[in-house]
DNA sequence: GATCCTCGAGTTCC
DNA sequence: CTCGAGGATC
């Protein structure tokens, strides 16, 4: 090796070490030593050396952070140790309950917790082999995520090489996020370049990390903080979680300086309050704090529930509230003619998004909260998603016209508005005469759970109805490519796609067809019951409702006496369909207009009739689903359960046999725990059905 | 007649 | 997700 090359090698090694040291000071210690210009100077010098002596270029060189070639799509990484989710607490009493559960499991005195802020970013896993960063992945469903190594390589807060003493295999779990100030600056650049701005730092971080082109990620100001470990080979673990964090910091990982060790519930509450009050002054968004039992030995004893550790909890901050002005209270007309008042709001940024509309449910609700147009109101995002008007912060001018009055005629079709005694909702009496109801009926017909016609959304339905191309669902099947292609923003290609999906919807199961008709009170469940009972559309149309009502009554009486004698009850006729729903069916099916539509639809769609015969492996069991399952869609799970003869219900009660949980928190789980209902996760479910199938 | 359980309907934003 | 109302049950 010649002298020049040897010198270059030394210089390159020096520059690399210096650059990583500056990254460390900047991102991990928040104590920069070099100026940006000095840093850039060193980086350019290193690039020059590496281009003159390509063999000196190493994978962990800071020059490799600029971003590789764009990918077609991300690969999948199976996490060697699953990335779990956390139990949540939303109130002091829930946190106290968590603390009590830990004490009750045999822990005398105050429990020591490691406390950290809960970053509002994206969880990722970083894998280091012999100290070198080799792979990074998103959390995904916890079991496997997307391979975003190329993107994470560009994040300067993530060391490409750990300091000496790193275990041979070392997986670090942490959060990728964006600082608020850097997010603002990014948005400013986006604005200047005429590109789309991001709503909040979280979305910006998520969007940047999921870029297929790492060169884009490279110019986004992403940060990283570590908070835990995955797979570790080649080293003993420290005794406590706080020691793990200290260890990560020593190895050069950014770890939040806000971390602390607290004693017992009181200490935890103090930490929570202090973070809550300092929240606005932090450089980044947090949505709560996380407490973990500090002793790793105790953690191991406590183990896991479903997919969350029992030793940790996220105590979330109360939903953020904001004040804004109601500019107007409008009326929306639903599928069944329900008139729903909606508050139009002066756009306000709350809970991470800009809110402009909020439902006010009904007239009584408006009276109860005493809302007038022009009032300044408090808005929050209830249950994390749906905007809710909490109440009046300051009354507006309140001119007589500002008070909400439910109109006496439908704002769309001018038909009379009727509010039945004891009902909360006011309804337009126009039926299919009302354009709004016709449009909603079409949308419902095409919706995913009904006939599932992809591409037939609001925009298209509006135009089809306004241009008199379709009045009822039956007309959809008569549409021609030529007609659709004339609609705004639709060419021949999209028109053909729409026709294809309309054709694909022919022959759907009878239950979907019945549901799609949109008979008041007949939802998915009732539609299934009807399909199973009548088997065909013809027999449903011929049904003699008063006879069925009679038969049902006598069946119920017979069952009651069987029960008294301790016998097993016979299956109930049309279970869940009582007098009201029968009346609704009778009325709907008697209308000549509806019958015409149904006959025309039956002609073009030929719904698949139901052949009797049911599986019974899980007969009589009731399941409730909650959260997202790692490997199957909710609907899939539901179908599977039903095909095995069990029922899927939407809320947990003492009659529930199993709660199949994907996530680890939420009302359904709380109820299930309180009632002692068995909670299983996806793998538990697979085991269960395997066992039952195998055992019978 | 009361109570518990379930389902249906409406809803927001990206 | 939440509310309200219908249905089942005692």
């Amino acid at each position: 090796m010649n002298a020049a090359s040897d010198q270059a090698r030394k210089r390159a090694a020096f520059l690399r070490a210096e650059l990583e040291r500056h990254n460390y000071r900047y991102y991990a210690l928040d104590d920069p030593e070099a100026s940006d210009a000095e840093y850039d100077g060193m980086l350019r010098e290193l690039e020059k050396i590496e281009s003159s002596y390509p063999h000196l270029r190493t994978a962990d060189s800071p020059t490799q952070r600029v971003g590789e070639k764009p990918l077609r799509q991300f690969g999948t990484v199976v996490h060697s140790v699953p990335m779990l989710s956390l139990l949540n607490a939303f109130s002091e009493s829930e946190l106290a309950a968590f603390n009590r559960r830990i004490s009750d499991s045999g822990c005398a005195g105050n429990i020591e917790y490691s406390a950290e802020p809960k970053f509002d970013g994206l969880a990722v896993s970083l894998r280091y082999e012999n100290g070198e960063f080799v792979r990074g992945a998103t959390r995904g469903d916890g079991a496997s995520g997307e391979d975003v190594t190329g993107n994470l390589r560009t994040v300067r807060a993530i060391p490409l090489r750990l300091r000496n003493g790193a275990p041979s295999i070392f997986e670090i779990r942490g959060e990728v996020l964006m600082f608020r100030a850097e997010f603002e600056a990014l948005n400013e650049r986006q604005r200047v370049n005429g590109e789309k701005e991001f709503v909040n730092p979280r979305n910006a971080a998520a969007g940047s990390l999921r870029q297929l082109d790492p060169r884009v990620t490279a110019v986004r100001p992403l940060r990283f903080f570590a908070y835990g470990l995955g797979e570790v080979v080649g080293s003993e673990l420290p005794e406590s979680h706080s020691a793990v964090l200290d260890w990560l910091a020593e190895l050069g990982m950014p770890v939040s300086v806000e971390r602390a060790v607290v004693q017992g519930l009181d200490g935890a509450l103090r930490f929570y309050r202090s973070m809550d009050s300092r929240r606005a002054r932090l450089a980044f968004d947090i949505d709560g704090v996380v407490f973990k039992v500090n002793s790793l030995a105790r953690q191991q004893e406590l183990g896991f529930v479903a997919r969350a550790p029992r030793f940790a909890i996220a105590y979330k901050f109360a939903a953020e509230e904001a004040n804004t002005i109601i500019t107007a209270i409008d009326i929306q007309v639903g599928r069944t003619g329900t008139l729903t008042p909606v508050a139009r709001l002066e756009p306000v940024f709350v809970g991470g998004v800009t809110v402009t509309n909020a439902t006010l449910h009904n007239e009584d609700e408006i009276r109860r909260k005493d809302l007038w147009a022009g009032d300044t109101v408090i808005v929050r995002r209830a249950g994390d998603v749906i905007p809710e008007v909490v109440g009046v912060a300051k009354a507006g001018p309140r001119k007589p016209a500002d008070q909400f009055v439910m109109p006496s005629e439908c704002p769309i079709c001018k038909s009379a508005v009727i509010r039945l005694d004891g009902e909360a909702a006011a309804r337009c009496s126009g039926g299919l005469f009302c354009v709004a109801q016709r449009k909603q009926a079409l949308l419902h017909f095409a919706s995913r759970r009904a006939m599932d016609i992809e591409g037939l959304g609001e925009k298209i339905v509006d135009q089809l109805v306004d241009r008199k191309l379709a009045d009822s669902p039956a007309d959809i099947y008569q549409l021609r490519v030529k007609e659709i292609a004339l609609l705004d923003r639709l060419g021949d290609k999209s028109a053909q796609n729409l026709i294809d999906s309309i054709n694909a919807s022919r022959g759907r199961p009878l239950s979907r067809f019945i549901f799609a008709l949109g008979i008041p009170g007949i939802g998915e469940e009732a539609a299934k019951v009807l399909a199973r009972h009548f088997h065909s559309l013809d027999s449903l149309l011929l049904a003699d409702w008063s006879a069925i009502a009679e038969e049902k009554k006598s069946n119920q009486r017979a069952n009651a006496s069987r029960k008294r004698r301790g016998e097993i009850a016979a299956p109930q006729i049309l279970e869940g369909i009582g007098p009201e729903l029968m009346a609704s069916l009778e009325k709907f099916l008697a209308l000549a207009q509806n019958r015409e539509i149904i006959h025309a639809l039956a002609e073009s769609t030929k719904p698949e009739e139901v052949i009797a015969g049911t599986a019974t492996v899980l007969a009589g069991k009731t399941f409730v689903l909650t959260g997202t399952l790692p490997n199957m869609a909710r609907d899939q799970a539901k179908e599977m359960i039903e095909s095995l003869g069990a029922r899927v219900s939407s809320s947990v009660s003492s009659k529930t046999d199993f709660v199949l949980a994907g996530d680890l928190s939420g009302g359904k789980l709380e109820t299930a725990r309180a009632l002692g209902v068995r909670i299983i996760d996806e793998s538990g479910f697979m085991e269960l059905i395997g066992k039952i199938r195998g055992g019978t």
Side-chain angles (χ1 to χ4, degrees):
Chain A
M1 193 173 283
N2 64 47
S5 153
D6 191 47
Q7 201 181 9
R9 186 181 54 79
K10 279 188 188 149
R11 181 66 185 164
F14 169 79
L15 288 170
R16 255 174 233 142
E18 273 295 285
L19 287 163
E20 281 300 307
R21 193 173 65 85
H22 288 304
N23 274 343
Y24 175 70
R25 292 202 64 117
Y26 190 93
Y27 290 100
L29 303 183
D30 192 21
D31 178 23
E33 190 184 289
S35 69
D36 287 356
E38 286 170 308
Y39 184 94
D40 289 342
M42 285 190 276
L43 190 62
R44 271 196 302 275
E45 187 188 344
L46 180 59
E47 267 164 11
K48 224 163 104 189
I49 297 175
E50 286 179 349
S51 60
S52 320
Y53 304 93
H55 66 281
L56 292 177
R57 183 170 288 148
T58 59
D60 63 358
S61 172
T63 56
Q64 301 307 297
R65 290 188 184 276
V66 290
E68 301 152 13
K69 273 188 293 195
L71 298 170
R72 286 292 261 303
Q73 63 174 48
F74 296 116
T76 304
V77 173
V78 176
H79 300 303
S80 47
V81 175
M83 294 183 76
L84 301 163
S85 36
L86 287 174
L87 297 166
N88 285 316
F90 294 96
S91 65
E92 281 193 23
S93 62
E94 283 175 30
L95 185 66
F98 165 76
N99 185 59
R100 206 173 319 116
R101 278 203 299 278
I102 307 244
S103 311
D104 290 350
S105 67
C107 195
N110 266 347
I111 299 147
E112 186 173 273
Y113 294 107
S114 169
E116 310 157 52
K118 186 175 189 306
F119 306 106
D120 197 9
L122 289 99
V124 295
S125 182
L126 310 177
R127 187 179 174 91
Y128 289 81
E129 289 176 4
N130 301 315
E132 192 183 327
F133 176 59
V134 293
R135 187 153 58 247
T138 60
R139 178 176 180 282
D141 59 21
S144 60
E146 287 177 323
D147 186 339
V148 286
T149 311
N151 288 343
L152 287 171
R153 214 178 254 294
T154 71
V155 177
R156 279 170 51 189
I158 295 176
L160 296 174
R161 171 165 289 283
L162 294 172
R163 303 180 161 212
N164 290 336
S168 54
I169 292 182
F170 202 40
E171 271 183 14
I172 296 166
R173 303 285 159 78
E175 199 95 344
V176 167
L177 50 93
M178 217 176 261
F179 278 13
R180 273 198 295 267
E182 293 170 347
F183 159 77
E184 298 294 346
L186 169 66
N187 259 357
E188 179 60 37
R189 289 201 297 278
Q190 297 283 105
R191 194 160 42 235
V192 169
N193 297 335
E195 285 176 65
K196 210 174 143 275
E197 290 179 53
F198 297 98
V199 221
N200 55 40
R202 210 201 95 85
N203 283 8
S208 305
L209 194 61
R210 301 197 65 260
Q211 278 290 333
L212 287 170
D213 186 350
R215 287 169 299 193
V216 176
T217 312
V219 297
R220 299 280 172 81
L222 292 172
R223 298 273 182 158
F224 175 82
F225 286 112
Y227 53 63
L229 297 177
E231 187 183 11
V232 177
V233 177
S235 170
E236 294 288 307
L237 292 181
E239 281 185 359
S240 67
H241 183 70
S242 54
V244 167
L245 297 179
D246 293 342
W247 186 30
L248 285 168
E250 275 169 36
L251 290 170
M253 271 287 150
V255 180
S256 170
V257 294
E258 312 291 339
R259 66 185 190 275
V261 173
V262 300
Q263 307 295 328
L265 180 61
D266 288 345
L269 285 173
R270 258 198 306 277
F271 182 81
Y272 171 82
R273 291 193 197 112
S274 122
M275 287 310 290
D276 197 9
S277 65
R278 290 171 43 222
R279 185 178 174 190
R281 294 194 297 274
L282 294 177
F284 44 84
D285 286 341
I286 60 175
D287 56 1
V289 292
V290 178
F291 299 111
K292 293 174 186 158
V293 170
N294 202 20
S295 154
L296 296 195
R298 289 282 297 135
Q299 287 191 0
Q300 200 139 39
E301 284 164 31
L302 285 159
F304 302 85
V305 251
R307 308 191 59 77
R310 219 176 254 138
F311 52 78
I313 196 158
Y315 186 3
K316 298 280 192 76
F317 294 133
E320 189 197 340
E321 297 185 336
N323 286 0
T324 189
I325 295 170
I326 298 185
T327 51
I329 299 178
D330 288 352
I331 297 283
Q332 267 173 19
V333 183
R335 171 166 63 84
T336 56
T338 317
L339 300 189
T340 310
V342 184
R344 306 290 174 205
L345 304 168
E346 199 72 48
V348 61
F349 194 73
V350 54
V353 295
T354 304
V355 171
T356 51
N357 301 307
T359 175
L360 300 177
H361 303 294
N362 55 54
E363 208 178 346
D364 294 347
E365 181 86 2
I366 296 178
R367 298 273 169 280
R368 210 165 22 243
K369 290 177 177 165
D370 190 30
L371 305 173
W372 295 52
D375 283 357
T376 302
V377 290
I378 302 162
V379 175
R380 72 165 166 230
R381 294 221 298 157
D384 261 6
V385 217
I386 294 166
E388 177 190 10
V389 174
V390 184
V392 176
K394 188 171 169 289
R398 296 204 165 179
K399 297 190 293 278
D402 293 335
Q403 183 167 32
F404 177 76
V405 186
M406 186 58 82
S408 58
E409 50 186 45
C410 171
I412 308 292
C413 72
K414 307 291 174 218
S415 300
V417 169
I418 296 166
R419 184 174 169 188
L420 297 173
D421 281 344
E423 282 205 350
R427 289 201 162 81
C428 156
S429 62
L432 288 183
F433 171 73
C434 180
V435 176
Q437 290 189 53
R438 282 210 303 276
K439 286 179 178 171
Q440 293 294 330
L442 282 174
L443 277 174
H444 171 75
F445 183 85
S447 68
R448 198 171 49 85
R449 314 194 75 96
M451 297 298 270
D452 192 16
I453 304 177
E454 218 186 309
L456 192 55
E458 205 184 317
K459 292 271 150 32
I460 308 287
V461 164
D462 274 349
Q463 295 187 60
L464 289 177
V465 174
D466 293 342
R467 300 186 187 205
K468 309 220 181 306
L469 288 169
D471 247 359
S472 81
D475 302 332
I476 292 175
Y477 293 93
Q478 312 303 328
L479 290 170
R480 307 276 166 88
V481 176
K482 275 188 296 190
E483 296 169 323
I484 301 177
L486 294 175
L487 302 183
D488 291 344
R489 308 222 249 128
L490 268 187
D492 287 350
K493 182 84 176 102
S494 347
Q496 186 56 51
N497 286 344
L498 181 54
I499 292 284
D500 289 348
S501 40
I502 289 170
N503 286 334
S505 76
R506 297 177 203 260
R508 294 261 190 256
L510 181 60
S511 56
R512 276 176 175 263
F513 182 90
I514 296 173
F515 173 54
L517 293 176
I519 304 165
I522 306 299
E524 266 183 297
E525 295 304 318
K528 273 184 204 159
V529 172
L530 290 167
R532 271 200 299 271
H533 183 265
F534 289 103
H535 306 300
S536 74
L537 192 58
D538 284 338
S539 44
L540 172 66
L541 288 168
L542 290 169
D544 176 348
W545 295 103
S546 54
I548 292 169
E550 270 314 307
E551 192 189 346
K552 182 161 176 159
K553 258 188 240 159
S554 72
N555 187 32
Q556 269 171 341
R557 275 195 298 272
N559 268 343
S561 62
R562 277 197 196 99
K563 193 134 200 183
R564 275 195 299 278
R565 282 175 282 154
E567 291 171 24
I568 297 164
Q572 177 67 270
I573 300 168
L574 288 178
E575 197 182 5
I577 299 180
E580 294 284 336
L581 293 188
M582 287 198 204
S584 171
L585 281 160
E586 193 171 13
K587 190 176 157 204
F588 186 92
L589 297 175
L591 230 57
Q593 195 184 10
N594 289 335
R595 289 187 90 91
E596 253 173 58
I597 294 172
I598 294 171
H599 283 303
L601 274 175
E603 194 58 33
S604 31
T605 73
K606 299 258 187 291
E608 183 195 325
E609 304 190 348
V610 178
I611 302 145
T614 42
T616 49
V617 247
L618 288 177
K621 299 289 180 206
T622 304
F623 283 74
V624 171
L625 305 180
T626 177
T628 315
L629 298 170
N631 296 311
M632 56 177 136
R634 231 178 136 103
D635 291 352
Q636 266 180 319
K638 189 173 172 180
E639 260 173 46
M640 196 184 282
I641 293 168
E642 286 176 345
S643 73
L644 295 168
R647 306 189 333 135
V648 175
S649 158
S650 58
S651 54
V652 181
S653 74
S654 57
K655 292 188 178 163
T656 310
D657 295 294
F658 299 98
V659 170
L660 176 51
D663 292 338
L664 293 138
S665 60
K668 289 180 191 174
L669 277 190
E670 296 291 316
T671 327
R673 275 190 215 107
L675 294 170
V677 171
R678 196 161 147 203
I679 300 169
I680 54 174
D681 62 6
E682 189 186 283
S683 57
F685 171 65
M686 294 317 237
E687 211 173 283
L688 176 80
I689 60 177
K691 214 183 278 169
I692 290 173
R693 277 176 163 162
T696 45

